[in-house]
Amino acid sequence: MTRTYGSRELRTAGDPTCMGCRSRLILLTGIVMVMPFVFSAYALAAQINGNASARKEAPKQHFACNVGYTPSECQVATTVLRKALARYPVDALGEWTWVLVRTEDWKQILSERKFDSNHSAFSVLPKRATFFDGALVIKISIRGVELSAIWHMPIEDLFDLAIRHELAHALCNDPDETKADRAAMALKDATPLSCRVIEQASSATRK
C-alpha cells in the first residue's frame, strides 16, 4: 500500500500501518480466512440479484456483502463501490468478486490473525476476490475518521487508493508490493501499466 502526502504518493514498506505490507502472509492464509465470508456474501448477493442484473456493470464483475448487511444496505453500499470501480479497467480482469465487510467484522478478521487493524482492503488472488472495509463506502463514520487520520487523507481518497492498489495486484496477478505501488500510480495517471495486463486478460478470457 502507499500513503499520500500532499500530491506525492510514497510507499511505506517498513510502516506497520502499510496496507500491503503483509500481502504475502494474507495471500498464504487468505483462502482459509475469507472463504466462509465469501459464501455468506454470495448468499446475501443472491437476495438482490434481480436488482443487480438490471444495472450496467463491467462484464463478469460480481458484487457482494458479508453477513450483517441487509439487502437494502448491501444494494446502497455496492452501488458506491461500482461507481468507484467504473473509473478503472476492471473489465480486463475477467471474472472477479468484490466484497464489502462491515467494520465490526473486518476488525475481528484482522485481529484474530494478528494483522494490522489499519488495513482497509486485501485481495485473495487465487480466488479472484477483493475485500474492503465497509467504512470506505460511507462518507461519515467513526471508522472513516480513524482511517483518515491514520492515512492523512479524506476517506474518499483512501477508498480510491485502496481500489487502485488492489486492482493493480489483480490486473498484474502479482502479490509484489513494489510493482503494485507503481501500477497504482499508473492507474491514477491513466498511463499504461508496467505489467502485461493484456496478455493476462486474454488468458483469463480463454479460460
Side-chain angles (χ1 to χ4, degrees):
M1 191 63 187
T2 53
R3 284 197 178 185
T4 299
Y5 296 93
S7 62
R8 299 176 59 199
E9 289 194 1
L10 300 175
R11 182 169 183 272
T12 54
D15 191 327
T17 64
C18 176
M19 182 182 304
C21 290
R22 301 179 183 175
S23 287
R24 289 187 178 85
L25 179 57
I26 291 176
L27 288 172
L28 289 173
T29 60
I31 297 176
V32 175
M33 180 173 85
V34 302
M35 289 316 296
F37 294 93
V38 174
F39 295 142
S40 59
Y42 280 146
L44 179 53
Q47 297 179 38
I48 59 172
N49 188 55
N51 291 331
S53 63
R55 299 191 191 92
K56 293 181 180 179
E57 59 189 35
K60 300 182 179 179
Q61 301 305 298
H62 307 287
F63 297 85
C65 297
N66 186 37
V67 292
Y69 284 88
T70 66
S72 59
E73 289 171 341
C74 184
Q75 181 177 340
V76 171
T78 54
T79 295
V80 176
L81 178 56
R82 284 187 181 90
K83 290 180 178 178
L85 287 169
R87 289 173 256 174
Y88 302 109
V90 294
D91 55 333
L93 288 173
E95 202 84 20
W96 203 268
T97 300
W98 309 89
V99 183
L100 290 168
V101 181
R102 293 191 314 162
T103 291
E104 302 93 311
D105 298 321
W106 181 264
K107 285 190 171 184
Q108 182 178 350
I109 290 171
L110 299 182
S111 65
E112 286 179 351
R113 292 153 182 85
K114 304 187 186 305
F115 296 142
D116 195 314
S117 63
N118 298 324
H119 287 326
S120 60
F122 65 87
S123 295
V124 183
L125 300 182
K127 292 300 179 181
R128 306 185 67 77
T130 295
F131 297 78
F132 293 99
D133 185 332
L136 292 175
V137 301
I138 302 174
K139 289 186 177 180
I140 300 176
S141 69
I142 295 176
R143 171 64 169 171
V145 171
E146 176 187 339
L147 289 172
S148 293
I150 291 169
W151 293 94
H152 304 287
M153 66 180 77
I155 194 66
E156 296 86 355
D157 292 346
L158 178 58
F159 185 27
D160 181 67
L161 178 56
I163 286 175
R164 286 188 286 109
H165 186 86
E166 298 308 321
L167 184 57
H169 279 303
L171 285 170
C172 295
N173 192 29
D174 193 333
D176 186 276
E177 291 304 317
T178 300
K179 293 179 182 178
D181 290 339
R182 288 197 294 261
M185 286 293 294
L187 287 169
K188 180 180 181 180
D189 299 333
T191 56
L193 298 184
S194 58
C195 60
R196 294 184 289 183
V197 175
I198 296 178
E199 178 180 329
Q200 294 184 20
S202 299
S203 176
T205 300
R206 287 195 296 272
K207 292 179 181 178

